[in-house]
Amino acid sequence: ETGVTQSPTHLIKTRGQQVTLRCSSQSGHNTVSWYQQALGQGPQFIFQYYREEENGRGNFPPRFSGLQFPNYSSELNVNALELDDSALYLCASSARQQGAYNEQFFGPGTRLTVL
Amino acid sequence: AQSVTQLGSHVSVSEGALVLLRCNYSSSVPPYLFWYVQYPNQGLQLLLKYTSAATLVKGINGFEAEFKKSETSFHLTKPSAHMSDAAEYFCAVRGGSQGNLIFGKGTKLSVKP
């Protein structure tokens, strides 16, 4: 069974640029959530995708957007990068089931540095 | 709204000593609570979870946590620390209907030889 994978591992961008981060969900999982973890902080929920649609969003501006593909993999896009976007971006997948708790499994993260 | 507060950003113990990491929660509904561990430059690994079954929850690597509704607490313990336990630990509560997690700020555990 393959776990959650993310690419790239590290990324350096300059302010104002755009970035795309990728996530492959664990086998059998149909839901992907993205989190931002700033240095010294706990992860913060960005949004979740289920059946290729956004299914809930945290307190992040519209320049944070995402996609989910038919194979359940996902992308996180960030436009007009700001210095404060420097963080570890974590992807988590889960198997959504009616009436059951859906445990989230996390990938290793992508470290984004904005200069 | 749900939230968690972790008391102590840094805890240091000697190898073999008791580990106690504190977490208090706030929730308007019966909470689902979690402890995750994060090793340097890695993602999050689930240690244990409370989902309204037994109040004493046993997890991996010898960790356990007790849900105390009267104290709104979910503290993480391990009877004897090992050097390999040095990491950052996050307490989390299940948030909205989509099941997103709300994390505390984390507690960094150091283990001295």
Side-chain angles (χ1 to χ4, degrees), chain B residues 47-74:
Chain B
L47 280 175
L48 49 81
K49 61 179 183 281
Y50 168 76
T51 56
S52 74
T55 56
L56 182 62
V57 182
K58 294 187 184 297
I60 62 172
N61 302 340
F63 284 94
E64 61 182 39
E66 186 172 8
F67 172 72
K68 291 187 177 180
K69 184 178 179 180
S70 60
E71 298 178 8
T72 61
S73 70
F74 190 58

Side-chain angles (χ1 to χ4, degrees), chain A residues 35 37 42 48 101 103-104, chain B residues 34 38 46 49 98-99 101:
Chain A
Y35 293 82
Q37 185 180 13
Q48 182 182 92
Y101 167 66
E103 181 174 334
Q104 298 190 11
Chain B
F34 309 84
Q38 186 176 38
L46 180 66
K49 61 179 183 281
Q98 66 270 32
L101 296 169

Side-chain angles (χ1 to χ4, degrees), chain A residues 10 31 33 35 37 40-45 48 55-57 88 90 96 100-109 111, chain B residues 6 9 32 34 36 38 41-46 49 51 88 90-91 94 96-106:
Chain A
H10 295 89
T31 302
S33 302
Y35 293 82
Q37 185 180 13
Q41 301 293 319
Q44 284 195 295
F45 175 66
Q48 182 182 92
N55 180 49
R57 188 179 186 94
L88 180 68
L90 296 165
R96 184 165 175 161
Y101 167 66
N102 312 304
E103 181 174 334
Q104 298 190 11
F105 293 82
F106 284 82
R111 173 75 62 188
Chain B
Q6 291 184 243
S9 59
Y32 283 12
F34 309 84
Y36 282 85
Q38 186 176 38
N41 300 314
Q42 293 189 24
L44 299 171
Q45 181 183 12
L46 180 66
K49 61 179 183 281
T51 56
E88 188 145 25
F90 293 94
C91 181
R94 183 182 178 185
S97 57
Q98 66 270 32
N100 61 287
L101 296 169
I102 299 168
F103 288 89
K105 292 188 175 182

